[in-house]
Amino acid sequence: MSNTQENTPANQHPLHGAEGISIRYAVKEDCPRLMELVHELALYEKAPEEVTVSLEHFEDAGFGPNPVWKAFVAEVDGVVVGFALYYIRYSTWKGCRMYLEDLIVTEEMRGKKIGKLLFDRLFQEVKEQGFSGMVWQVLDWNEPAINFYNKYGANIEAGWLNASLSREQVLNL
């Protein structure tokens, strides 16, 4: 993913929703707040110890010379209250697809349609970029998220298991 001008504040065209909510591209200055929300999500998912990325690495991965992610943020009164972070995944079966890594709305702002606004903005991006679709994961116990995704008619697949190796595991091979 290239660091295009669309990620610069001057070229952003925020979408406005109910109750003064605006959706815009994330900028580097948002990263400390985004990391706070990442930690909130990790607590919700019962895995706070799993967040090991530093703020510096996070910023560089999104806004350095070779950015690998983009995000939309939801703001209320100038405060980021949610975000949707994605990157481009290539499927040998489907082509370029948006991979939604995280969608989070801070707990006190849930139920105000902020998640819907973020999801709708992601759909717009899929269309604008000509991606063949959008994919993501959801924990099987996260009923509120599953119910949210089901409202869109999402295909929630069974039968696939996640696999991963940590950096330490790879170094020890």
Side-chain angles (χ1 to χ4, degrees), residues 132-152:
S132 66
M134 182 171 100
V135 294
W136 66 94
Q137 296 173 305
V138 61
L139 290 167
D140 61 358
W141 57 260
N142 191 344
E143 299 251 347
I146 292 168
N147 291 337
F148 175 79
Y149 300 138
N150 281 335
K151 289 179 186 176
Y152 291 91

Side-chain angles (χ1 to χ4, degrees), residues 3-72:
N3 195 3
T4 62
Q5 285 189 344
E6 65 186 8
N7 272 353
T8 60
N11 291 323
Q12 290 186 26
H13 304 291
L15 300 177
H16 295 283
E19 302 177 33
I21 302 162
S22 66
I23 307 294
R24 62 170 173 79
Y25 279 102
V27 294
K28 185 176 181 179
E29 293 74 21
D30 294 320
C31 288
R33 176 63 178 149
L34 298 185
M35 285 302 302
E36 289 174 8
L37 294 174
V38 166
H39 286 282
E40 181 178 328
L41 177 62
L43 279 172
Y44 177 77
E45 292 184 351
K46 303 173 179 72
E49 70 286 347
E50 294 294 322
V51 178
T52 59
V53 68
S54 69
L55 175 60
E56 294 75 23
H57 181 85
F58 185 73
E59 288 174 342
D60 188 58
F63 301 96
N66 299 302
V68 296
W69 62 262
K70 288 186 180 182
F72 293 107

Side-chain angles (χ1 to χ4, degrees), residues 87-99 131-135 157 160:
Y87 55 89
I88 307 313
R89 168 186 167 189
Y90 187 80
S91 165
T92 56
W93 291 12
K94 306 288 184 186
C96 292
R97 309 191 94 190
M98 174 186 283
Y99 185 85
F131 299 141
S132 66
M134 182 171 100
V135 294
E157 300 174 13
W160 288 87

